[in-house]
Amino acid sequence: MTAKRAKPRGLLRLFQFIRSTCHNGVPYASIENVSPAHEELQEAFQHEQFEVYYQPIVRLADNRIIGAEALTRWNHPTRGLIPPAGFANILYRSSLGRAVSYWCLDRACEAAARWRRGFEKDFKIAVNTCAPQLAESEMPQFVSAILERHALPASALELEITEDVELDRIPYLKSTLENLKAAAISVAVDDFGTGFASLKHLLNYPISRIKIDRAFVSCLDKPSHHMRTCTSIVEMAIKLGLKVTVEGVETEGQLKVLKELGCSEAQGFLFSKPVTRTEFERLLQHGFNVIPA
């Protein structure tokens, strides 16, 4: 079967999976030993309470938005907007998490295709993955099918592996990542330096980018252990031929240091918090007020 014919079939198989986790036509996952928290998450997906927010990724040379990270938020009917810290640990270790991840990927690719047409022709979207996705051999096929569905080139997508994913415990991970690379889909390690990923993984897996966690950025504008650590990580990444994005940038002083270190991309509240799709389009249209460091 040719790659061109495989992609539509991959999309069909993905949608069959989503339908298989549906109840009365709406997404619903069957999970063994379902806890009250799982049931609430199932109801949230069923009643379309999950939303995708976007945080700008900024090119430091000119403070221009060149991409975004897509982030899932839970708009709870009584508790309001809940960030991932309030539900991700449970959600992304279940079959429902796999469905939500593909749903988020589909929405994010749709938005990215629109923004490439209307605002930034080289716009790139970064989307988080979860362990259940990475453990399946058909993941590259599913991802490619979603890209084709929205006429989005593979080079416009970057999949992020969060640091809480134990890479060594995922079967056939290297093969999956190599197949993604072969499809021109890049892979980044998110929150680098705070979890399971190590130098060994950067050397053994086809990783193209690291995203430095905000924990190393908070004291970046004054001499500190964090500043020295961040500097070392950036220097190591550059020597390994990896791209670097720094997260959690909040001050002009941090921005100035990052530019001096040779960092080319960043995201953080200095530029914008994660926002809705409509609000993000306003940022693309009008920009934001950041004094060049």
Side-chain angles (χ1 to χ4, degrees), residues 52-293:
V52 181
Y53 274 53
Y54 301 90
Q55 185 171 38
I57 297 173
V58 178
R59 184 171 58 208
L60 299 187
D62 55 7
N63 293 331
R64 184 179 180 87
I65 298 174
I66 58 171
E69 180 178 0
L71 300 159
T72 302
R73 297 289 186 263
W74 180 5
N75 197 351
H76 194 278
T78 59
R79 285 181 276 165
L81 202 64
I82 302 175
F87 62 86
N89 191 49
I90 296 175
L91 175 64
Y92 293 117
R93 283 171 169 75
S94 70
S95 59
L96 177 63
R98 178 172 172 253
V100 171
S101 294
Y102 280 122
W103 166 84
C104 178
L105 177 63
D106 185 69
R107 292 291 181 88
C109 287
E110 178 189 16
R114 170 183 168 87
W115 295 332
R116 285 174 72 92
R117 291 192 300 268
F119 298 99
E120 176 64 49
K121 65 181 180 66
D122 295 321
F123 189 93
K124 191 162 188 172
I125 191 75
V127 184
N128 288 323
T129 61
C130 65
Q133 279 181 298
L134 293 167
E136 61 184 356
S137 61
E138 291 182 305
M139 180 191 182
Q141 187 177 350
F142 288 162
V143 173
S144 294
I146 290 174
L147 289 170
E148 183 170 293
R149 164 178 161 85
H150 298 294
L152 188 68
S155 59
L157 174 64
E158 187 165 79
L159 296 176
E160 296 187 1
I161 302 175
T162 57
E163 274 277 69
D164 60 344
V165 175
E166 298 184 55
L167 301 180
D168 292 332
R169 296 173 64 91
I170 299 176
Y172 314 115
L173 176 62
K174 187 171 184 178
S175 174
T176 298
L177 296 183
E178 287 175 344
N179 287 336
L180 287 170
K181 182 179 180 179
I185 300 166
S186 59
V187 176
V189 174
D190 196 13
D191 304 325
F192 184 79
T194 62
F196 293 105
S198 66
L199 177 60
K200 175 187 72 173
H201 298 114
L202 298 183
L203 295 173
N204 292 342
Y205 294 116
I207 304 296
S208 61
R209 181 187 302 274
I210 60 172
K211 301 188 73 173
I212 300 178
D213 186 73
R214 67 185 66 246
F216 299 106
V217 180
S218 58
C219 300
L220 198 58
D221 49 356
K222 49 185 175 290
S224 66
H225 178 66
H226 286 81
M227 180 179 181
R228 291 188 292 273
T229 302
C230 186
T231 300
S232 298
I233 293 174
V234 171
E235 291 176 348
M236 174 198 69
I238 292 174
K239 289 179 179 178
L240 290 175
L242 299 173
K243 299 175 183 177
V244 179
T245 300
V246 182
E247 300 178 294
V249 180
E250 297 183 353
T251 71
E252 293 289 343
Q254 294 167 358
L255 179 61
K256 183 175 185 295
V257 173
L258 291 173
K259 288 184 176 181
E260 292 172 351
L261 290 176
C263 295
S264 58
E265 298 178 14
Q267 61 189 93
F269 282 19
L270 176 64
F271 307 106
S272 172
K273 64 181 181 180
V275 295
T276 65
R277 176 169 168 166
T278 300
E279 292 172 311
F280 192 87
E281 289 195 3
R282 292 197 192 102
L283 289 176
L284 288 172
Q285 289 175 328
H286 306 296
F288 36 69
N289 294 320
V290 176
I291 302 172

Side-chain angles (χ1 to χ4, degrees), residues 37-55:
H38 278 127
E39 290 182 345
E40 192 171 17
L41 287 168
Q42 289 174 335
E43 291 178 3
F45 198 21
Q46 179 180 355
H47 295 294
E48 300 181 355
Q49 293 172 10
F50 289 116
E51 299 178 4
V52 181
Y53 274 53
Y54 301 90
Q55 185 171 38

